[in-house]
Amino acid sequence: MRLTLLLSLGLAMTTPVMAQDRVPDTERSADKLARTLSDPAVQDGIAGIIGDLANAILDTRVGPLARYTDPQDDVRSDDTLGTLVRRDDPAFDRDLHDQTRNAVAAAGTVAGDAATMSGELRATANRLRRVLKSARDGEKARSSHDN
């Protein structure tokens, strides 16, 4: 009775591990990446980081070069790249955030689809192996009858 209980407990504990071993690490990684990139909080976080990186670049002062630009470009002595960009596109910051968030969401979708296709392609490869093995076994059987 104790042995049966221990074996049952051991089997119950190892079942999830054995089930996981059937899915390749790359497929699990792609699936995890898909779930992560599909999380709105992650999307907002990445969009925020991209915004911060953009602002670090956009804070570059370009005003000292104003005298070399076309007067119609209206580059002023105290301008930064950000000033110029936002003057042309007042919604730049919001658009950058939204576009980055959408790109991250799209990457999550692609990762999820890749994980799904990975499983499908593995299943197709297994079917092909079975057909080829069957054909090979059939050829061996035919050749042994011919001799």
Side-chain angles (χ1 to χ4, degrees):
M1 174 92 164
R2 238 186 244 169
L3 180 59
T4 304
L5 182 60
L6 287 174
L7 287 173
S8 297
L9 182 59
L11 183 60
M13 290 182 353
T14 59
T15 299
V17 173
M18 290 188 303
Q20 285 181 352
D21 287 342
R22 292 185 187 141
V23 178
D25 286 340
T26 53
E27 188 176 333
R28 279 197 305 267
S29 295
D31 188 52
K32 182 177 179 183
L33 179 63
R35 285 192 313 274
T36 299
L37 294 177
S38 296
D39 182 339
V42 170
Q43 294 166 3
D44 281 335
I46 292 173
I49 291 168
I50 297 298
D52 291 345
L53 290 168
N55 284 327
I57 294 168
L58 293 173
D59 284 345
T60 303
R61 285 180 16 94
V62 293
L65 301 175
R67 69 173 143 231
Y68 302 108
T69 63
D70 187 323
Q72 292 179 0
D73 291 336
D74 192 28
V75 179
R76 301 171 197 150
S77 61
D78 61 342
D79 279 345
T80 63
L81 285 172
T83 307
L84 297 176
V85 168
R86 291 176 184 104
R87 194 177 298 145
D88 287 342
D89 180 7
F92 172 80
D93 294 299
R94 186 188 70 237
D95 291 344
L96 177 64
H97 184 273
D98 292 347
Q99 290 170 8
T100 302
R101 195 174 187 287
N102 291 339
V104 173
T109 300
V110 168
D113 292 345
T116 299
M117 281 308 301
S118 175
E120 289 299 317
L121 293 173
R122 189 177 56 257
T124 299
N126 288 336
R127 287 191 303 272
L128 290 171
R129 280 188 203 98
R130 285 192 302 272
V131 168
L132 291 172
K133 182 181 182 315
S134 176
R136 187 177 52 235
D137 292 348
E139 182 63 32
K140 286 179 186 176
R142 282 190 294 279
S143 67
S144 67
H145 289 298
D146 292 341
N147 291 333

